[in-house]
Amino acid sequence: MNAEFFVTSLLNGISYGLLLFMLSSGITLIFSMMGVLNFAHASFYMLGAYFAFTISGLLGFGLALVIAPLLVFALGAAFERYCLRRVHPFGHVPELLVTFGLSYLILEVVQLVWGRSTVPYGLPGWLEGPLFTLYGTQFPRSRSFVMLVALLMLASVWLLLTRTRIGLVIQAALKYPEMAEALGHNVPRVFMLVFGGGAALAALAGVIGGNTYVTEPAMAASVGSIVFVVVVVGGMGSLPGAFLASLLIGLVQTFAVALDYSLISVFAAAGLAVTEQSFGYPVLKLTISQVAPILPYLFLVLILIFRPKGLLGTRVS
């Protein structure tokens, strides 16, 4: 493994991991404060990308970066107020079903409005090209921008929850809802704002991820499952856990897709010959790059077996 491959894969893995964190942070906040596992969270990510595509064509990418998350915030808050709140007294299963139905509704609306194919949501001029060149490899500005926005978002959310009155009210509404309500705080409104805020964080990830990668109707499905892997591996409801798991999974997938080693090469290095007649040859010949897509899910299974509360989780739900 040479220095160029290591540094390039490291930077790409951190960039991808931070994008995963932007996605998973919203659903982590919603679950930790409301106990709701939102199946439509990746759909809010998709909405953010499509809204930004339309807005950037009219007003520019800078305004799209602000307006698109605000629009999704309003939609998320309205969904919590008029749909999710009505089924909340009936338990977790109706909540899961209504968010599951919302994900399909959003998908159909997106296909009706923007079509079923990829939309030309490109990078603005100031994000095109490389930011720097290292070992002869160029690192794009777009991925650097993803990293910057993710870190700023992490700092902002942490400061909001730990250093402001709003954060204190949110934490009080989570732990002692009756006492918070007795002190005059509108707890249902707090939950509505939290759900809308989580949706907005997903939309922000969509704004910068849609033009860095691709904007298409399948984008929600492609990241939806990996987001739940991040949330479970990090620990249900743990924001630091989601951050750690996002970076870990981002790095593992990025390094794995570039490695062509298999168990056959390991046996060969040990002086053992493996032929097509050897037992388990179809499995032995699989390379790390071929099994890279399933590695996060394998990690998920191992975490659930040996540490069900996750890396930094404190509750099992």
Side-chain angles (χ1 to χ4, degrees), residues 255-273:
F255 275 94
V257 295
L259 297 176
D260 291 326
Y261 300 106
S262 66
L263 289 175
I264 292 179
S265 60
V266 174
F267 288 139
L272 301 174

Side-chain angles (χ1 to χ4, degrees), residues 105-122:
L105 178 62
I106 292 176
L107 175 61
E108 292 301 324
V109 170
V110 164
Q111 291 178 340
L112 285 173
V113 175
W114 287 281
R116 297 177 180 272
S117 58
T118 303
V119 297
Y121 178 32

Side-chain angles (χ1 to χ4, degrees), residues 176-303:
Y176 312 104
E178 295 84 3
M179 185 176 295
E181 202 153 21
L183 292 173
H185 300 294
N186 191 328
V187 174
R189 182 183 298 172
V190 171
F191 287 162
M192 179 184 72
L193 295 177
V194 168
F195 193 92
L201 292 179
L204 179 62
V207 174
I208 62 177
N211 56 12
T212 302
Y213 297 99
V214 64
T215 299
E216 60 179 356
M219 65 188 297
S222 64
V223 300
S225 58
I226 199 71
V227 168
F228 283 102
V229 171
V230 169
V231 172
V232 174
V233 169
M236 299 293 286
S238 172
L239 199 61
F243 181 73
L244 177 61
S246 298
L247 290 179
L248 182 62
I249 291 174
L251 289 171
V252 166
Q253 280 203 296
T254 304
F255 275 94
V257 295
L259 297 176
D260 291 326
Y261 300 106
S262 66
L263 289 175
I264 292 179
S265 60
V266 174
F267 288 139
L272 301 174
V274 177
T275 66
E276 294 184 4
Q277 286 71 40
S278 300
F279 177 76
Y281 179 78
V283 175
L284 296 176
K285 72 175 183 178
L286 291 175
T287 63
I288 297 177
S289 60
Q290 288 176 308
V291 300
I294 69 170
L295 289 180
Y297 305 99
L298 176 62
F299 195 25
L300 170 67
V301 172
L302 294 176
I303 283 289

Side-chain angles (χ1 to χ4, degrees), residues 40-225:
H41 194 72
S43 299
F44 291 132
Y45 164 77
M46 177 174 63
L47 276 181
Y50 275 97
F51 283 167
F53 161 67
T54 301
I55 296 170
S56 61
L58 299 173
L59 304 174
F61 178 74
L63 288 176
L65 193 62
V66 177
I67 297 175
L70 290 178
L71 290 175
V72 177
F73 169 86
L75 290 175
F79 172 74
E80 195 284 332
R81 172 64 180 84
Y82 296 105
C83 297
L84 192 59
R85 190 178 302 181
R86 294 179 182 271
V87 302
H88 183 71
F90 301 103
H92 293 301
V93 173
E95 291 174 341
L96 291 175
L97 290 176
V98 74
T99 58
F100 189 71
L102 177 64
S103 67
Y104 277 94
L105 178 62
I106 292 176
L107 175 61
E108 292 301 324
V109 170
V110 164
Q111 291 178 340
L112 285 173
V113 175
W114 287 281
R116 297 177 180 272
S117 58
T118 303
V119 297
Y121 178 32
L123 293 167
W126 52 277
L127 280 181
E128 293 179 349
L131 180 67
F132 58 84
T133 301
L134 192 64
Y135 294 111
T137 301
Q138 297 178 338
F139 189 71
R141 294 180 184 178
S142 57
R143 292 180 181 265
S144 305
F145 186 68
V146 169
M147 297 166 69
L148 174 63
V149 173
L151 292 175
L152 290 176
M153 187 212 70
L154 172 63
S156 301
V157 171
W158 181 79
L159 290 174
L160 175 68
L161 294 177
T162 61
R163 295 292 187 269
T164 67
R165 177 179 174 83
I166 297 175
L168 293 177
V169 171
I170 290 174
Q171 294 185 53
L174 164 67
K175 297 178 180 178
Y176 312 104
E178 295 84 3
M179 185 176 295
E181 202 153 21
L183 292 173
H185 300 294
N186 191 328
V187 174
R189 182 183 298 172
V190 171
F191 287 162
M192 179 184 72
L193 295 177
V194 168
F195 193 92
L201 292 179
L204 179 62
V207 174
I208 62 177
N211 56 12
T212 302
Y213 297 99
V214 64
T215 299
E216 60 179 356
M219 65 188 297
S222 64
V223 300
S225 58

